[in-house]
């Protein structure tokens, strides 16, 4: 029994040990399995999976809303908008149709620089499959797919200013040439749609598209564009009962049509042979929108360093990024090399020198614009009571006449305190010493030695009188071509035979308006937006292959209302064209019978005070005064439709002015 009891105890202890071993193995297995389970679970709910689910959810909701938007009645979006913003006003076309206005005078649109579409007709191997595809305007798909090939085909020949060998890029024809610049970004589309509301259609509307890269006379040499415009206007007058056309140029198109009016009168082979009465017989009115009649300082910064305010700010946030070799591209160098083959850019260099734009210690604008003032919304076409009050006592005079200054101290100091090293002229006369650095992308700065770059900076400050010397210095090839097609002075004697040359025809200070006393000229532009007027520059310390000059964005005016921000002095304008350039000729140079307007063509100023959209539902706004967005301004569109329907400038109410353009005109000593 004792034996049995010992065996039983032994078995009991063994079984107990066995159970302990099993438990230990289970615990050991659990230790191995637990991380696997946790790892499995964490992988199942990773951040990547959450992002995919989130993107899928957003896309599903987006497609559902898009489907809902396209299937719902058209009145529902309008109902929602009106519920948020209040009742919407009728578009001008609908409003004027209710008043009984109908189609009358045929209209001609003249687009400006950049906004017209360009398509490929012949190209190199890298552009295979792009025949008659848009290289400019539309989706800009080829810019993203093959940027170097795109830049090559958008460039002109650097010697002739015409097509490079084996490349033909031509303007898109028809109203689609400039109705939209890109998908959803209108240019002429809103105006066309409103004209259609009172009966206009393609037979009574004509888009005078041209290759905006070329000099104005070269559009005739290469494409016979000026002859086509002449023939189309004559056809429109003949097929519309002899009713004269209303011409509506925008931006650089204003200068282009000014050139056309002299070309059409001039005898062949230089001109169109229409005779001195052609404009009087065919044109009722020229309604210029945002016209840079006397040039824009923005063109100077573009030629000098391929910059404007926005690009300079972008450089601040990403220093050197655009200058570097990013994905095989040196953005600024490619952009400079391409744009400096576009002769049209030279047409917008400031004209009239210091007489118009001011000198070292004076400018016509003085200090009469508060860059920090907020624009009030103004829904009335003829209401001038909402002009913001400006406390001139709290404002500091701005030396706008100094278009380029190297350093803030130079920009603000009196001219007697500026020590200038006058090395520029000597340097220009000296032999050019090319940089020895091998650069992948050639630009004209690579042909300039460091001593000449230093000389340009040591000259300190440039006015409209000396800016041409600077541009000849930094861009000799472009300025040599441009000098054969454009001029920037003020004529002493307009009867001098030399002014019969086409290089003077787009400068209103060196040419006469047509002999057409019944024709009307309108200057229509936005006001109330700080617009680039002068710049503070610095010399960069980047590599030898970079652009040596750059806007100094660290320079600030020191107060909220200052007109100096980010190295840029601002004046009143439409964000691109200062009021001085857009309005001076209508306010003074062409006002009444002058040597520039010998037949006394009536001129009117129609300014539109800028009011930004109140909310996102307004899109780009119906009261915008911005350079391109003004094409959707209801007040401007109403003015155009009324004139096209037969109204005169007096019936519109004459001048409609917000700015101090008439005061500035009095300060300018322009011989009339």
């Amino acid at each position: 029994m004792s034996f049995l009891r010992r065996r039983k105890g032994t078995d009991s202890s063994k079984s107990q040990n066995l159970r302990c071993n099993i438990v230990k193995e289970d615990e050991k297995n659990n230790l191995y399995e637990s991380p696997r389970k946790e790892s499995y679970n964490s992988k199942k709910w990773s951040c990547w999976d959450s992002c995919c689910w989130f993107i899928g959810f957003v896309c599903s909701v987006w497609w559902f809303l898009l489907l809902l938007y396209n299937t719902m009645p058209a009145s529902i979006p309008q109902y929602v908008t009106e519920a948020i913003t209040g009742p919407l006003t009728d578009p001008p076309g609908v409003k004027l149709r209710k008043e009984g206005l109908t189609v009358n005078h045929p209209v001609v649109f003249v687009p400006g620089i950049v906004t017209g579409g360009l398509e490929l007709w012949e190209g190199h191997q890298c552009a295979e499959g792009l025949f008659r595809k848009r290289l400019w305007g539309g989706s800009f798909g080829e810019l993203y797919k093959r940027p170097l090939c795109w830049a090559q085909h958008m460039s002109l020949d650097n010697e002739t200013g015409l097509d490079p060998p084996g490349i033909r890029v031509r303007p898109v024809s028809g109203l689609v040439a400039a109705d939209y610049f890109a998908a959803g970004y209108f240019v002429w589309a809103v105006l066309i749609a409103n004209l259609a509301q009172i009966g206009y259609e393609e037979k009574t509307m004509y888009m005078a598209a041209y290759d905006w890269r070329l000099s104005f006379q070269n559009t005739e040499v290469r494409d016979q564009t000026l002859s086509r415009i002449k023939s189309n206007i004559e056809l429109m007058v003949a097929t519309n009962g002899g009713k004269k056309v209303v011409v509506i140029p925008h931006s650089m198109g204003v200068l282009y049509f000014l050139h056309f009016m002299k070309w059409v009168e001039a005898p062949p082979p230089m001109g169109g042979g229409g005779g001195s009465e052609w404009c009087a017989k065919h044109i009722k009115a020229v309604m210029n929108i945002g016209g840079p009649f006397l040039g824009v300082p923005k063109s100077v910064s573009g030629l000098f360093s391929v910059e404007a305010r926005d690009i300079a700010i972008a450089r601040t946030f990403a220093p050197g990024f655009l200058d570097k070799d990013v994905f095989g591209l040196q953005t600024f160098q490619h952009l400079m090399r391409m744009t400096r083959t576009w002769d049209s850019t030279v047409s917008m260099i400031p004209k009239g020198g210091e007489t118009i734009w001011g000198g070292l210690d004076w400018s016509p604008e003085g200090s009469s614009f508060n860059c920090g003032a907020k624009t009030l919304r103004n829904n009335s076409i003829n209401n001038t009571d909402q002009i913001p009050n400006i406390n001139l006592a709290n404002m500091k005079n701005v030396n706008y006449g100094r278009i380029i200054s190297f350093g803030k101290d130079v920009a603000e100091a009196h001219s007697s305190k500026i020590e200038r090293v006058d090395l520029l002229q000597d340097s220009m006369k000296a032999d050019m010493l090319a940089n020895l650095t091998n650069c992948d992308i050639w630009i004209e700065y690579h042909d300039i030695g460091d001593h000449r770059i230093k000389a340009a900076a040591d000259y300190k400050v440039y006015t409209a009188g000396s800016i041409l010397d600077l541009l000849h210095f930094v861009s000799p090839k472009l300025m040599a071509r441009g000098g054969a097609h454009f001029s920037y002075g003020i004529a002493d004697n307009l009867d001098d035979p030399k002014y019969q040359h086409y290089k003077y025809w787009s400068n209103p200070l060196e040419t006469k308006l047509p002999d057409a006393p019944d024709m009307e000229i309108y200057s229509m532009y936005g006001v109330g937006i700080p617009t680039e007027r002068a710049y503070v520059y610095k010399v960069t310390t980047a590599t030898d292959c970079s652009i040596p000059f750059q806007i100094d964005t660290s320079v600030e005016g020191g107060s909220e209302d200052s007109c100096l921000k980010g190295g840029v002095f601002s004046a009143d304008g439409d964000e691109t064209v200062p009021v001085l350039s857009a309005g001076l000729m209508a306010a003074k140079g062409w006002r009444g019978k002058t040597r520039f307007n010998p037949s006394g063509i009536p001129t009117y100023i129609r300014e539109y005070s800028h009011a930004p959209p109140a909310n996102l539902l307004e899109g780009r706004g119906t009261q915008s005064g911005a350079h391109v967005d003004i094409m959707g301004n209801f007040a401007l569109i109403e003015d155009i439709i009324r004139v096209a329907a037969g109204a005169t400038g007096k019936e519109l109410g004459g001048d409609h002015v917000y700015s101090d353009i008439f005061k500035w005109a009095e300060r300018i000593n322009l011989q009339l």
Side-chain angles (χ1 to χ4, degrees):
M1 293 294 292
S2 61
F3 174 76
L4 291 175
R5 280 195 294 270
R6 285 197 299 271
R7 290 289 300 266
K8 186 176 181 180
T10 303
D11 292 340
S12 175
S13 63
K14 285 184 177 180
S15 63
Q16 185 175 359
N17 291 336
L18 180 62
R19 283 196 299 270
C20 289
N21 291 337
I22 292 173
V23 170
K24 289 180 180 178
E25 281 191 23
D26 289 339
E27 290 177 353
K28 186 177 180 181
N29 291 336
N30 287 336
L31 290 174
Y32 284 106
E33 289 177 3
S34 179
R36 291 195 194 114
K37 289 180 181 178
E38 290 178 6
S39 176
Y40 175 77
N41 291 335
S42 63
K43 183 177 181 181
K44 184 177 180 181
W45 300 102
S46 66
C47 281
W48 175 253
D49 293 331
S50 299
C51 289
C52 290
W53 276 101
F54 177 75
I55 293 172
F57 173 75
V58 171
C59 291
S60 299
V61 172
W62 170 255
W63 283 110
F64 175 74
L65 292 176
L66 189 63
L67 176 65
L68 189 64
Y69 179 81
N70 285 281
T71 55
M72 72 172 63
S75 59
I76 291 182
Q78 181 177 348
Y79 173 80
V80 174
T81 302
E82 290 184 350
I84 298 174
T85 64
L88 299 177
T89 58
D90 286 334
V94 175
K95 172 186 173 182
L96 298 180
R97 183 182 62 194
K98 292 177 180 178
E99 292 183 13
L101 271 64
T102 59
V103 58
N104 193 349
H105 294 274
V107 296
V108 177
F109 310 118
V110 186
I113 191 171
V114 171
T115 55
L118 300 174
E119 61 187 15
L120 183 69
W121 282 81
E122 181 184 4
H124 294 162
Q125 186 175 359
C126 67
E128 185 178 355
L130 297 181
F131 176 68
R132 294 202 64 196
K133 301 292 184 182
R134 286 202 182 199
L135 294 187
W136 189 268
S139 64
F140 285 92
E142 299 311 315
L143 170 60
Y144 308 120
K145 295 177 183 177
R146 28 190 160 180
L148 296 182
C149 182
W150 175 85
Q152 180 185 18
H153 285 75
M154 281 297 298
S155 300
L156 296 170
D157 188 274
N158 205 29
E159 301 293 335
T160 66
L162 296 169
D163 291 328
I167 294 177
R168 282 186 295 149
V169 175
R170 297 294 181 263
V172 177
S173 59
L175 295 178
V176 297
D179 55 351
Y180 287 91
F181 175 63
Y185 191 87
F186 70 82
V187 183
W188 294 91
V190 177
L191 177 57
I192 292 171
N194 278 276
L195 283 166
Q197 290 288 342
I198 68 166
Y200 279 88
E201 51 188 286
E202 196 150 10
K203 68 181 180 182
T204 48
M205 293 189 287
Y206 166 58
M207 184 70 72
Y210 59 98
D211 190 336
W212 44 263
R213 302 172 302 162
L214 301 175
S215 68
F216 301 158
Q217 192 69 9
N218 273 346
T219 63
E220 175 66 15
V221 171
R222 195 194 71 179
D223 301 333
Q224 294 75 54
T225 304
L226 298 173
S227 294
R228 293 172 185 270
I229 294 174
K230 175 177 180 285
S231 299
N232 276 284
I233 290 177
E234 290 171 345
L235 178 63
M236 295 180 81
V237 172
T239 56
N240 284 277
K243 294 179 180 177
K244 302 176 185 179
V245 300
V246 172
V247 184
I248 311 168
H250 173 245
S251 189
M252 192 184 75
V254 169
L255 301 180
Y256 187 72
F257 195 76
L258 189 63
H259 179 98
F260 169 83
M261 287 193 292
K262 294 303 294 183
W263 173 88
V264 76
E265 293 180 336
M270 190 179 295
S276 60
E277 297 181 353
W278 191 93
C279 291
K281 291 179 179 178
H282 296 89
I283 302 175
K284 174 192 186 296
V286 182
M287 308 190 76
N288 301 295
I289 304 175
F293 287 107
L294 301 176
V296 287
K298 202 172 186 177
S299 67
V300 176
S301 64
L303 293 170
F304 192 48
S305 61
V306 205
E307 282 183 297
R309 189 202 317 267
D310 297 339
I311 294 178
I313 291 174
R315 272 179 156 177
T316 302
F317 286 108
F321 180 79
L322 293 174
D323 297 301
K324 293 179 180 178
D325 189 358
V326 182
F327 303 118
L329 298 175
Q330 290 170 294
T331 310
F332 270 89
Q333 286 85 336
H334 280 292
L335 187 60
M336 174 169 280
R337 186 178 66 171
M338 179 178 70
T339 56
R340 283 196 178 180
T341 67
W342 298 348
D343 291 352
S344 62
T345 58
V346 183
S347 70
M348 292 185 289
I349 294 174
K351 303 174 177 67
E354 295 184 6
T355 300
I356 303 297
W357 296 93
L360 290 176
D361 294 315
W362 82 279
S363 60
E365 300 98 326
S367 59
S368 58
F369 181 63
N370 187 350
C371 295
K374 293 183 179 180
T375 306
L376 300 177
R377 293 183 66 81
N378 173 28
N379 293 309
S380 173
I381 295 177
N382 293 305
N383 184 3
T384 60
D385 296 331
Q386 300 188 43
I387 304 174
N389 292 322
I390 299 173
N391 187 357
L392 299 180
N394 295 331
M395 298 183 63
K396 183 178 179 181
N397 284 337
V398 179
N399 294 325
Y400 286 126
R402 306 177 187 187
I403 294 180
I404 286 183
S405 303
F406 280 90
K408 181 182 179 181
D409 55 337
V410 174
E412 296 180 343
H414 190 273
S415 59
S416 62
K417 299 181 179 180
I418 300 175
E419 296 182 3
R420 300 164 71 184
V421 179
D422 195 359
L423 299 178
L424 180 60
Q425 296 298 329
D426 294 338
S427 180
M428 291 177 67
K429 294 176 183 177
D431 292 335
M432 296 179 65
L433 299 178
N435 284 338
L436 300 177
T437 307
N438 293 322
C439 301
D440 295 334
I441 307 165
W442 176 87
I443 56 176
E444 287 184 272
Y445 279 122
H446 300 161
D447 291 337
I448 299 175
D450 292 339
H451 68 291
R452 300 190 70 195
I453 292 173
K454 184 177 183 300
D458 287 342
Y459 196 75
K460 301 293 187 183
V461 59
Y462 297 86
T463 65
S466 56
I467 204 72
L468 290 173
D469 292 334
L470 177 65
L471 293 176
H472 276 287
F473 170 67
V474 300
S475 186
K477 289 189 175 181
L478 174 62
M479 294 302 293
R481 294 194 314 271
H485 289 271
F486 302 105
S487 183
Y488 313 98
I490 302 176
D492 294 325
N493 178 15
L494 285 169
D495 294 323
D496 190 323
K498 77 173 186 178
Y499 292 112
Q500 297 175 8
H501 192 274
Y502 59 76
K503 68 180 289 185
Y504 302 101
W505 291 347
S506 62
N507 182 356
L509 299 172
E510 293 183 304
T511 191
K512 298 178 183 179
L513 288 178
D515 184 11
D518 294 331
M519 188 177 81
E520 295 179 328
I521 293 182
Y522 297 79
S523 291
M524 314 170 76
Y525 52 89
V527 297
I529 308 178
T531 302
E532 297 175 42
R533 178 67 167 81
Y535 304 88
V536 178
Y537 266 86
K538 65 180 179 180
V539 178
T540 63
T541 57
T543 63
D544 292 335
C545 292
S546 65
I547 298 169
F549 304 109
Q550 185 175 323
I551 295 174
D552 190 351
T553 54
S554 66
V555 175
E556 298 289 339
S559 68
E560 183 180 351
D561 295 339
S562 174
C563 288
L564 173 58
K565 294 182 179 179
V568 180
F569 285 100
S570 297
D572 196 2
D574 69 358
E575 203 171 35
T576 296
V577 182
V579 168
L580 185 66
S581 178
L584 181 64
M585 291 309 296
K588 186 167 187 173
W590 292 334
R591 182 69 47 152
K593 284 191 177 183
T594 68
R595 66 192 185 107
F596 305 108
N597 182 16
S599 66
I601 296 174
T603 59
Y604 301 97
I605 296 178
R606 304 289 291 179
E607 294 183 346
Y608 305 88
S609 182
H610 173 71
N615 52 65
L616 293 176
L617 295 175
E618 286 192 19
R620 287 155 62 192
T622 60
Q623 299 177 54
S624 176
H627 188 63
V628 178
D629 293 355
I630 197 174
M631 303 293 281
N633 185 299
F634 277 12
L636 176 138
I637 293 173
E638 182 172 333
D639 284 348
I640 291 174
I641 294 178
R642 289 188 182 278
V643 172
T648 64
K650 289 184 178 180
E651 292 171 338
L652 288 185
D655 296 320
H656 178 220
V657 178
Y658 287 98
S659 72
D660 290 327
I661 183 61
F662 286 109
K663 292 182 181 178
W664 302 340
E666 292 176 2
R667 300 172 187 166
I668 295 174
N669 185 20
L670 181 62
Q671 180 185 351
L672 300 177

